[in-house]
Coordinates of all heavy atoms in Angstrom, one line a residue:
G653 N -59.2 68.2 -17.5 CA -58.7 67.2 -16.7 C -57.6 66.4 -17.3 O -56.6 66.2 -16.6
T654 N -57.8 66.1 -18.5 CA -56.7 65.3 -19.3 C -55.5 66.1 -19.5 O -54.4 65.6 -19.3 CB -57.2 64.8 -20.6 OG1 -57.6 65.9 -21.4 CG2 -58.3 63.8 -20.4
L655 N -55.6 67.4 -19.8 CA -54.4 68.2 -20.0 C -53.8 68.5 -18.6 O -52.5 68.6 -18.6 CB -54.8 69.6 -20.7 CG -55.3 69.5 -22.1 CD1 -55.5 70.8 -22.7 CD2 -54.3 68.7 -22.9
N656 N -54.5 68.6 -17.6 CA -53.8 68.8 -16.2 C -53.1 67.6 -15.8 O -52.0 67.7 -15.2 CB -54.9 69.1 -15.1 CG -55.5 70.5 -15.2 OD1 -54.9 71.5 -15.8 ND2 -56.6 70.8 -14.6
K657 N -53.7 66.5 -16.2 CA -52.9 65.1 -15.9 C -51.6 65.1 -16.6 O -50.6 64.7 -16.2 CB -53.9 64.0 -16.2 CG -53.3 62.6 -15.8 CD -54.3 61.5 -16.2 CE -53.9 60.2 -15.8 NZ -54.8 59.1 -16.1
F658 N -51.6 65.5 -17.9 CA -50.5 65.5 -18.8 C -49.4 66.4 -18.2 O -48.3 66.1 -18.1 CB -50.8 65.8 -20.1 CG -49.7 66.3 -21.0 CD1 -48.7 65.4 -21.4 CD2 -49.5 67.6 -21.4 CE1 -47.6 65.7 -22.2 CE2 -48.4 68.0 -22.3 CZ -47.5 67.1 -22.6
Y659 N -49.8 67.6 -17.8 CA -48.9 68.6 -17.2 C -48.3 68.1 -16.0 O -47.0 68.3 -15.8 CB -49.7 69.9 -17.0 CG -48.8 70.9 -16.3 CD1 -47.9 71.7 -17.1 CD2 -48.8 71.1 -14.9 CE1 -47.1 72.7 -16.4 CE2 -47.9 72.0 -14.3 CZ -47.1 72.8 -15.0 OH -46.2 73.8 -14.5
S660 N -49.0 67.4 -15.1 CA -48.5 66.9 -13.9 C -47.4 65.8 -14.2 O -46.4 65.8 -13.4 CB -49.6 66.3 -13.0 OG -50.5 67.3 -12.6
K661 N -47.6 65.1 -15.2 CA -46.6 64.1 -15.6 C -45.3 64.7 -16.0 O -44.2 64.4 -15.6 CB -47.0 63.2 -16.7 CG -48.2 62.2 -16.3 CD -48.6 61.4 -17.5 CE -49.7 60.4 -17.2 NZ -50.1 59.6 -18.4
V662 N -45.3 65.8 -16.8 CA -44.2 66.5 -17.2 C -43.5 67.2 -16.0 O -42.3 67.2 -15.9 CB -44.5 67.5 -18.3 CG1 -43.3 68.3 -18.8 CG2 -45.1 66.9 -19.5
E663 N -44.4 67.9 -15.2 CA -43.8 68.5 -14.1 C -43.0 67.6 -13.0 O -42.0 67.9 -12.6 CB -44.9 69.2 -13.3 CG -44.5 70.2 -12.1 CD -45.7 70.7 -11.4 OE1 -46.7 70.0 -11.3 OE2 -45.6 72.0 -11.0
K664 N -43.5 66.5 -12.9 CA -42.9 65.5 -12.1 C -41.6 65.0 -12.6 O -40.6 64.8 -11.9 CB -43.8 64.3 -11.9 CG -43.3 63.3 -10.8 CD -44.3 62.1 -10.7 CE -43.8 61.2 -9.6 NZ -44.8 60.0 -9.4
L665 N -41.5 64.9 -13.9 CA -40.2 64.5 -14.6 C -39.1 65.6 -14.3 O -37.9 65.1 -14.3 CB -40.4 64.4 -16.0 CG -41.0 63.2 -16.6 CD1 -41.2 63.3 -18.2 CD2 -40.1 62.0 -16.4
F666 N -39.5 66.9 -14.1 CA -38.4 67.9 -14.0 C -38.5 68.5 -12.6 O -38.0 69.5 -12.4 CB -38.8 69.0 -15.0 CG -38.4 68.5 -16.4 CD1 -39.4 68.0 -17.2 CD2 -37.1 68.7 -17.0 CE1 -39.1 67.6 -18.5 CE2 -36.9 68.3 -18.3 CZ -37.9 67.7 -19.0
Q667 N -39.0 67.7 -11.6 CA -39.1 68.4 -10.2 C -37.8 68.6 -9.6 O -37.6 69.4 -8.7 CB -40.0 67.5 -9.3 CG -39.4 66.0 -9.2 CD -40.4 65.1 -8.4 OE1 -41.4 65.5 -8.0 NE2 -40.0 63.8 -8.3
D668 N -36.7 67.9 -10.0 CA -35.4 68.0 -9.5 C -34.5 69.0 -10.3 O -33.4 69.1 -10.1 CB -34.7 66.7 -9.3 CG -35.4 65.8 -8.3 OD1 -36.0 66.4 -7.4 OD2 -35.5 64.6 -8.5
K669 N -35.1 69.5 -11.4 CA -34.3 70.4 -12.4 C -34.9 71.8 -12.4 O -35.6 72.2 -13.3 CB -34.5 69.7 -13.8 CG -34.0 68.3 -13.8 CD -32.5 68.3 -13.8 CE -32.0 66.8 -13.9 NZ -30.6 66.7 -13.9
T670 N -34.7 72.5 -11.2 CA -35.3 73.8 -11.1 C -34.3 74.9 -11.6 O -34.1 75.9 -11.0 CB -35.5 74.2 -9.6 OG1 -34.4 73.9 -8.9 CG2 -36.7 73.2 -9.2
T671 N -33.8 74.8 -12.9 CA -33.1 75.8 -13.6 C -34.0 76.9 -14.1 O -35.2 76.6 -14.4 CB -32.2 75.3 -14.7 OG1 -33.1 74.8 -15.8 CG2 -31.3 74.1 -14.2
P672 N -33.5 78.1 -14.4 CA -34.4 79.1 -15.0 C -35.0 78.7 -16.2 O -36.2 79.0 -16.4 CB -33.4 80.3 -15.2 CG -32.3 80.2 -14.1 CD -32.2 78.6 -14.0
V673 N -34.3 77.9 -17.1 CA -34.9 77.5 -18.3 C -36.0 76.6 -18.2 O -37.1 76.7 -18.7 CB -33.8 76.8 -19.2 CG1 -34.4 76.2 -20.4 CG2 -32.8 77.9 -19.7
V674 N -35.8 75.5 -17.3 CA -36.9 74.6 -17.0 C -38.1 75.2 -16.3 O -39.3 74.9 -16.7 CB -36.4 73.3 -16.2 CG1 -37.5 72.5 -15.7 CG2 -35.4 72.6 -17.0
T675 N -37.8 76.1 -15.4 CA -39.0 76.7 -14.8 C -39.8 77.6 -15.8 O -41.0 77.5 -15.8 CB -38.4 77.7 -13.6 OG1 -37.7 77.0 -12.7 CG2 -39.5 78.5 -12.9
S676 N -39.1 78.3 -16.7 CA -39.9 79.0 -17.7 C -40.5 78.1 -18.7 O -41.7 78.5 -19.1 CB -38.8 79.9 -18.4 OG -38.3 81.0 -17.6
L677 N -40.0 77.0 -19.0 CA -40.6 76.0 -19.9 C -41.8 75.5 -19.3 O -42.8 75.2 -20.0 CB -39.6 75.0 -20.5 CG -38.5 75.5 -21.4 CD1 -37.5 74.4 -21.6 CD2 -39.2 75.9 -22.8
L678 N -41.9 75.2 -18.0 CA -43.0 74.6 -17.4 C -44.1 75.7 -17.3 O -45.3 75.4 -17.6 CB -42.7 74.2 -15.9 CG -41.9 72.9 -15.8 CD1 -41.4 72.8 -14.4 CD2 -42.9 71.8 -16.2
N679 N -43.7 76.9 -17.1 CA -44.6 78.1 -17.2 C -45.3 78.2 -18.6 O -46.5 78.3 -18.7 CB -43.9 79.4 -16.9 CG -44.8 80.6 -16.7 OD1 -46.0 80.5 -17.0 ND2 -44.4 81.7 -16.1
L680 N -44.5 78.1 -19.6 CA -44.9 78.2 -21.0 C -45.9 77.0 -21.4 O -46.8 77.2 -22.0 CB -43.8 78.3 -22.0 CG -43.0 79.6 -22.0 CD1 -41.8 79.5 -22.9 CD2 -43.8 80.7 -22.5
L681 N -45.5 75.8 -20.9 CA -46.3 74.6 -21.1 C -47.7 74.8 -20.5 O -48.8 74.6 -21.1 CB -45.8 73.4 -20.5 CG -46.5 72.1 -20.6 CD1 -46.7 71.8 -22.1 CD2 -45.7 71.0 -19.9
E682 N -47.7 75.4 -19.3 CA -49.0 75.7 -18.6 C -49.8 76.7 -19.4 O -51.1 76.5 -19.6 CB -48.7 76.2 -17.2 CG -50.1 76.3 -16.3 CD -49.8 76.7 -14.9 OE1 -48.6 77.3 -14.6 OE2 -50.6 76.3 -14.0
V683 N -49.2 77.8 -19.9 CA -49.9 78.8 -20.6 C -50.5 78.2 -21.9 O -51.5 78.5 -22.3 CB -48.9 80.0 -20.9 CG1 -49.6 80.9 -22.0 CG2 -48.6 80.7 -19.7
F684 N -49.6 77.4 -22.5 CA -50.0 76.7 -23.9 C -51.2 75.9 -23.7 O -52.2 75.9 -24.5 CB -48.9 76.0 -24.4 CG -49.1 75.2 -25.6 CD1 -49.6 75.8 -26.8 CD2 -48.9 73.8 -25.6 CE1 -49.9 75.0 -27.9 CE2 -49.2 73.0 -26.7 CZ -49.7 73.6 -27.9
L685 N -51.2 75.1 -22.7 CA -52.3 74.1 -22.5 C -53.6 74.8 -22.0 O -54.7 74.5 -22.5 CB -52.0 73.1 -21.4 CG -50.8 72.2 -21.7 CD1 -50.5 71.2 -20.6 CD2 -51.1 71.4 -23.0
Y686 N -53.5 76.0 -21.4 CA -54.6 76.9 -21.1 C -55.2 77.4 -22.3 O -56.4 77.5 -22.5 CB -54.2 77.9 -20.1 CG -55.3 78.9 -19.7 CD1 -56.2 78.6 -18.8 CD2 -55.3 80.2 -20.4 CE1 -57.2 79.5 -18.4 CE2 -56.3 81.1 -20.0 CZ -57.3 80.7 -19.1 OH -58.3 81.7 -18.7
R687 N -54.3 77.9 -23.2 CA -54.8 78.5 -24.5 C -55.5 77.4 -25.4 O -56.3 77.8 -26.2 CB -53.6 79.0 -25.3 CG -53.0 80.3 -24.5 CD -51.8 80.9 -25.4 NE -52.4 81.5 -26.6 CZ -51.8 81.4 -27.8 NH1 -50.6 80.8 -27.9 NH2 -52.3 82.0 -28.8
I688 N -55.1 76.2 -25.3 CA -55.7 75.1 -26.0 C -57.2 75.1 -25.7 O -58.1 74.9 -26.6 CB -55.1 73.7 -25.8 CG1 -53.7 73.7 -26.3 CG2 -56.0 72.6 -26.3 CD1 -53.5 73.6 -27.8
L689 N -57.5 75.3 -24.5 CA -59.0 75.3 -24.1 C -59.7 76.6 -24.2 O -60.9 76.6 -24.2 CB -59.0 74.8 -22.5 CG -58.4 73.5 -22.1 CD1 -58.4 73.2 -20.7 CD2 -59.2 72.4 -22.9
G690 N -58.9 77.7 -24.4 CA -59.5 78.9 -24.6 C -59.4 79.5 -26.0 O -60.3 79.4 -26.8
D691 N -58.2 80.0 -26.3 CA -58.0 80.6 -27.6 C -58.3 79.6 -28.8 O -58.7 80.0 -29.8 CB -56.6 81.1 -27.8 CG -56.3 82.3 -26.8 OD1 -57.2 82.8 -26.3 OD2 -55.1 82.7 -26.8
Y692 N -58.0 78.4 -28.6 CA -58.2 77.4 -29.6 C -59.3 76.4 -29.4 O -59.4 75.3 -29.9 CB -56.8 76.6 -29.8 CG -55.7 77.5 -30.2 CD1 -54.6 77.7 -29.4 CD2 -55.8 78.1 -31.5 CE1 -53.6 78.5 -29.8 CE2 -54.8 79.0 -31.8 CZ -53.6 79.2 -31.0 OH -52.6 80.0 -31.4
S693 N -60.3 76.9 -28.6 CA -61.4 76.0 -28.3 C -62.3 75.7 -29.6 O -63.0 74.7 -29.6 CB -62.4 76.6 -27.3 OG -62.8 77.9 -27.7
F694 N -62.2 76.5 -30.6 CA -62.9 76.4 -31.9 C -62.4 75.2 -32.7 O -63.0 74.8 -33.7 CB -62.9 77.7 -32.8 CG -61.5 78.0 -33.2 CD1 -61.1 77.6 -34.5 CD2 -60.5 78.7 -32.5 CE1 -59.9 77.9 -35.0 CE2 -59.3 79.0 -33.0 CZ -59.0 78.6 -34.3
L695 N -61.2 74.7 -32.4 CA -60.6 73.7 -33.1 C -61.2 72.3 -32.9 O -61.7 72.0 -31.8 CB -59.0 73.5 -32.9 CG -58.2 74.7 -33.2 CD1 -56.8 74.4 -32.8 CD2 -58.2 75.0 -34.7
S696 N -61.2 71.4 -33.9 CA -61.6 70.1 -33.7 C -60.6 69.3 -32.8 O -59.5 69.8 -32.6 CB -61.7 69.3 -35.0 OG -60.5 69.2 -35.7
V697 N -61.1 68.2 -32.3 CA -60.1 67.4 -31.4 C -58.9 67.0 -32.1 O -57.8 67.1 -31.7 CB -60.9 66.1 -30.9 CG1 -59.8 65.2 -30.1 CG2 -62.0 66.5 -29.9
E698 N -59.1 66.7 -33.4 CA -57.9 66.2 -34.3 C -57.0 67.4 -34.4 O -55.8 67.3 -34.3 CB -58.4 65.8 -35.7 CG -57.2 65.2 -36.5 CD -57.6 64.8 -37.9 OE1 -58.8 64.8 -38.1 OE2 -56.7 64.4 -38.7
D699 N -57.5 68.6 -34.7 CA -56.7 69.9 -34.9 C -55.9 70.1 -33.6 O -54.7 70.5 -33.6 CB -57.5 71.0 -35.3 CG -57.8 70.9 -36.8 OD1 -57.2 70.2 -37.5 OD2 -58.7 71.6 -37.2
K700 N -56.7 70.0 -32.4 CA -55.9 70.2 -31.2 C -54.8 69.3 -31.0 O -53.6 69.6 -30.5 CB -56.9 70.2 -30.0 CG -58.0 71.3 -30.0 CD -59.0 71.1 -28.9 CE -60.0 72.2 -28.9 NZ -61.1 72.0 -28.0
L701 N -55.1 68.0 -31.3 CA -53.9 67.0 -31.2 C -52.8 67.4 -32.0 O -51.6 67.2 -31.6 CB -54.5 65.6 -31.5 CG -55.5 65.0 -30.5 CD1 -56.0 63.7 -31.1 CD2 -54.9 64.7 -29.2
V702 N -53.0 67.7 -33.2 CA -52.0 68.1 -34.2 C -51.3 69.4 -33.6 O -50.0 69.4 -33.7 CB -52.6 68.4 -35.6 CG1 -51.5 69.0 -36.5 CG2 -53.1 67.1 -36.2
L703 N -51.9 70.4 -33.2 CA -51.3 71.6 -32.7 C -50.3 71.3 -31.5 O -49.3 71.8 -31.4 CB -52.4 72.6 -32.2 CG -51.9 73.8 -31.4 CD1 -51.0 74.6 -32.2 CD2 -53.2 74.7 -31.1
I704 N -50.8 70.5 -30.5 CA -50.1 70.1 -29.4 C -48.8 69.4 -29.9 O -47.7 69.7 -29.4 CB -50.8 69.3 -28.4 CG1 -52.0 70.1 -27.9 CG2 -49.9 68.8 -27.3 CD1 -53.0 69.4 -27.0
R705 N -48.9 68.4 -30.7 CA -47.8 67.5 -31.2 C -46.9 68.4 -31.9 O -45.7 68.3 -31.7 CB -48.4 66.5 -32.0 CG -47.3 65.6 -32.6 CD -47.0 64.5 -31.6 NE -45.9 63.6 -32.1 CZ -45.8 62.4 -31.8 NH1 -46.6 61.7 -31.0 NH2 -44.7 61.6 -32.2
D706 N -47.3 69.2 -32.9 CA -46.4 70.0 -33.7 C -45.6 71.0 -32.8 O -44.5 71.2 -33.1 CB -47.3 70.7 -34.7 CG -47.6 69.9 -35.9 OD1 -47.1 68.8 -35.9 OD2 -48.3 70.3 -36.8
T707 N -46.3 71.6 -31.8 CA -45.6 72.6 -30.9 C -44.4 71.9 -30.3 O -43.4 72.5 -30.2 CB -46.6 73.1 -29.9 OG1 -47.6 74.0 -30.6 CG2 -45.9 74.1 -28.9
F708 N -44.6 70.7 -29.8 CA -43.5 70.0 -29.0 C -42.4 69.7 -30.0 O -41.3 69.8 -29.8 CB -44.1 68.8 -28.3 CG -45.0 69.1 -27.2 CD1 -46.0 68.2 -26.9 CD2 -44.9 70.3 -26.6 CE1 -46.9 68.5 -25.9 CE2 -45.8 70.7 -25.5 CZ -46.9 69.7 -25.2
E709 N -42.9 69.1 -31.2 CA -41.8 68.6 -32.2 C -41.1 69.8 -32.8 O -39.9 69.6 -33.1 CB -42.6 67.8 -33.3 CG -43.1 66.4 -32.8 CD -43.4 65.5 -34.0 OE1 -43.5 66.0 -35.1 OE2 -43.5 64.3 -33.7
N710 N -41.8 70.9 -33.0 CA -41.0 72.1 -33.5 C -40.3 72.9 -32.5 O -39.8 74.0 -32.7 CB -42.1 73.0 -34.3 CG -42.5 72.5 -35.6 OD1 -41.9 72.7 -36.6 ND2 -43.6 71.6 -35.5
R711 N -40.3 72.4 -31.2 CA -39.7 73.1 -30.1 C -40.1 74.5 -30.0 O -39.4 75.4 -30.0 CB -38.1 73.0 -30.2 CG -37.7 71.6 -30.4 CD -36.2 71.6 -30.1 NE -35.3 72.1 -31.1 CZ -34.9 71.4 -32.3 NH1 -35.2 70.2 -32.4 NH2 -34.1 72.0 -33.1
N712 N -41.5 74.7 -30.0 CA -42.1 76.0 -30.2 C -42.8 76.5 -29.0 O -43.6 77.4 -29.1 CB -43.1 75.9 -31.4 CG -42.9 77.1 -32.3 OD1 -42.0 77.7 -32.3 ND2 -44.0 77.2 -33.1
L713 N -42.5 76.0 -27.8 CA -43.2 76.5 -26.7 C -42.9 78.0 -26.4 O -43.7 78.7 -25.9 CB -42.9 75.7 -25.4 CG -43.6 74.4 -25.2 CD1 -43.0 73.7 -24.0 CD2 -45.1 74.6 -25.0
K714 N -41.8 78.4 -26.9 CA -41.3 79.9 -26.6 C -42.4 80.9 -27.3 O -42.4 82.0 -26.9 CB -39.9 80.0 -27.2 CG -39.8 79.9 -28.8 CD -38.4 80.1 -29.1 CE -38.2 80.1 -30.7 NZ -38.6 78.9 -31.4
Q715 N -43.1 80.3 -28.3 CA -44.0 81.3 -28.9 C -45.2 81.7 -28.1 O -46.0 82.4 -28.5 CB -44.5 80.6 -30.2 CG -43.5 80.6 -31.4 CD -43.3 82.1 -31.9 OE1 -44.1 82.7 -32.5 NE2 -42.1 82.6 -31.8
N716 N -45.3 81.0 -26.9 CA -46.3 81.6 -26.0 C -45.8 82.6 -25.0 O -46.6 83.0 -24.0 CB -46.8 80.3 -25.2 CG -47.6 79.3 -26.1 OD1 -48.7 79.5 -26.4 ND2 -46.8 78.4 -26.5
M717 N -44.6 83.1 -25.1 CA -44.1 84.1 -24.3 C -45.0 85.4 -24.2 O -45.1 86.1 -23.2 CB -42.7 84.5 -24.7 CG -41.6 83.6 -24.2 SD -40.0 84.2 -24.4 CE -39.9 84.5 -26.2
E718 N -45.6 85.7 -25.3 CA -46.5 86.9 -25.4 C -47.7 86.8 -24.4 O -48.3 87.8 -24.1 CB -47.1 86.9 -26.8 CG -47.6 88.2 -27.3 CD -48.1 88.3 -28.7 OE1 -47.9 87.2 -29.4 OE2 -48.4 89.3 -29.1
Y719 N -48.0 85.6 -23.9 CA -49.1 85.4 -23.1 C -48.9 85.0 -21.6 O -49.8 84.8 -20.9 CB -50.0 84.3 -23.7 CG -50.3 84.6 -25.2 CD1 -49.6 84.0 -26.1 CD2 -51.4 85.3 -25.5 CE1 -49.9 84.2 -27.5 CE2 -51.7 85.6 -26.8 CZ -51.0 85.0 -27.8 OH -51.2 85.2 -29.1
V720 N -47.6 85.1 -21.2 CA -47.4 84.9 -19.8 C -47.9 86.1 -18.9 O -48.1 87.1 -19.4 CB -45.8 84.7 -19.5 CG1 -45.4 83.3 -20.3 CG2 -45.1 85.9 -19.9
S721 N -48.0 85.9 -17.6 CA -48.6 86.8 -16.7 C -47.6 87.9 -16.5 O -48.0 89.0 -16.1 CB -49.1 86.2 -15.4 OG -48.0 85.5 -14.8
E722 N -46.4 87.6 -16.4 CA -45.4 88.7 -16.2 C -45.5 89.8 -17.2 O -45.6 89.6 -18.4 CB -43.9 88.1 -16.1 CG -43.6 87.1 -14.9 CD -44.2 85.8 -15.2 OE1 -44.7 85.5 -16.3 OE2 -43.8 84.9 -14.4
N723 N -45.2 91.1 -16.7 CA -45.3 92.3 -17.5 C -43.9 92.5 -18.3 O -43.9 93.2 -19.2 CB -45.6 93.5 -16.7 CG -47.0 93.5 -16.2 OD1 -48.0 93.1 -17.0 ND2 -47.3 93.8 -15.0
I724 N -42.9 91.8 -17.7 CA -41.5 92.1 -18.3 C -41.1 90.7 -18.8 O -41.0 89.7 -18.1 CB -40.6 92.6 -17.4 CG1 -41.1 94.0 -16.8 CG2 -39.2 92.8 -17.9 CD1 -40.5 94.4 -15.5
I725 N -40.7 90.6 -20.1 CA -40.1 89.5 -20.7 C -38.7 89.7 -21.1 O -38.4 90.7 -21.8 CB -41.0 89.0 -21.9 CG1 -42.3 88.5 -21.4 CG2 -40.3 87.9 -22.7 CD1 -43.5 89.5 -21.2
I726 N -37.8 88.8 -20.8 CA -36.5 88.8 -21.4 C -36.2 87.7 -22.3 O -36.4 86.6 -22.0 CB -35.4 88.8 -20.2 CG1 -35.7 89.9 -19.2 CG2 -33.9 88.9 -20.7 CD1 -34.8 89.8 -17.9
S727 N -35.8 88.1 -23.6 CA -35.8 87.1 -24.6 C -34.7 87.5 -25.6 O -34.2 88.6 -25.7 CB -37.2 86.9 -25.3 OG -37.1 86.2 -26.4
T728 N -34.3 86.4 -26.4 CA -33.5 86.7 -27.6 C -34.4 87.3 -28.7 O -35.7 87.0 -28.7 CB -32.8 85.4 -28.0 OG1 -33.8 84.5 -28.5 CG2 -31.9 84.8 -27.0
I729 N -33.8 87.9 -29.6 CA -34.7 88.4 -30.8 C -35.2 87.2 -31.5 O -36.3 87.3 -32.0 CB -33.8 89.3 -31.6 CG1 -33.4 90.6 -30.9 CG2 -34.6 89.7 -32.9 CD1 -32.5 91.5 -31.5
H730 N -34.4 86.2 -31.8 CA -34.9 85.0 -32.5 C -36.0 84.4 -31.8 O -37.0 84.0 -32.6 CB -33.7 84.0 -32.7 CG -32.8 84.4 -33.7 ND1 -31.6 85.2 -33.4 CD2 -32.7 84.1 -35.1 CE1 -30.8 85.4 -34.5 NE2 -31.6 84.8 -35.6
G731 N -36.0 84.2 -30.5 CA -37.1 83.7 -29.8 C -38.4 84.5 -29.9 O -39.5 84.0 -29.6
A732 N -38.2 85.8 -30.1 CA -39.4 86.7 -29.9 C -40.0 86.9 -31.4 O -41.1 87.6 -31.5 CB -38.9 88.1 -29.4
K733 N -39.5 86.4 -32.4 CA -40.0 86.5 -33.8 C -41.5 86.1 -33.8 O -41.8 85.0 -33.3 CB -39.3 85.8 -34.8 CG -39.7 86.1 -36.3 CD -38.7 85.6 -37.3 CE -39.2 86.2 -38.7 NZ -40.3 85.5 -39.2
G734 N -42.3 87.0 -34.4 CA -43.7 86.6 -34.5 C -44.6 87.2 -33.3 O -45.8 87.1 -33.3
L735 N -43.8 87.6 -32.2 CA -44.5 88.1 -31.0 C -44.4 89.6 -30.9 O -43.6 90.2 -31.6 CB -43.9 87.5 -29.8 CG -43.8 86.0 -29.7 CD1 -43.2 85.4 -28.5 CD2 -45.2 85.4 -30.0
E736 N -45.3 90.2 -30.1 CA -45.3 91.7 -29.9 C -45.5 92.1 -28.5 O -46.2 91.4 -27.7 CB -46.4 92.3 -30.8 CG -46.3 92.1 -32.3 CD -47.6 92.6 -33.0 OE1 -48.4 93.2 -32.4 OE2 -47.6 92.3 -34.2

Side-chain angles (χ1 to χ4, degrees):
T654 58
L655 293 183
N656 284 343
K657 187 177 179 181
F658 163 69
Y659 176 83
S660 296
K661 289 180 180 178
V662 176
E663 186 180 37
K664 188 175 182 180
L665 278 173
F666 291 92
Q667 61 186 356
D668 298 326
K669 303 287 184 181
T670 54
T671 65
V673 170
V674 168
T675 300
S676 291
L677 287 171
L678 283 169
N679 188 347
L680 289 175
L681 177 60
E682 188 174 22
V683 169
F684 172 59
L685 296 178
Y686 177 80
R687 294 182 66 215
I688 293 292
L689 300 173
D691 293 349
Y692 297 117
S693 59
F694 68 95
L695 295 176
S696 66
V697 172
E698 182 182 0
D699 280 345
K700 288 175 183 174
L701 291 171
V702 171
L703 170 56
I704 295 169
R705 179 85 186 212
D706 281 354
T707 296
F708 297 151
E709 288 194 347
N710 285 268
R711 305 195 290 270
N712 220 21
L713 279 172
K714 66 181 185 296
Q715 285 289 294
N716 292 277
M717 283 192 295
E718 196 174 5
Y719 304 97
V720 298
S721 60
E722 290 85 354
N723 292 316
I724 302 162
I725 290 85
I726 303 174
S727 171
T728 64
I729 294 172
H730 284 87
K733 186 166 186 288
L735 308 179
E736 297 174 8

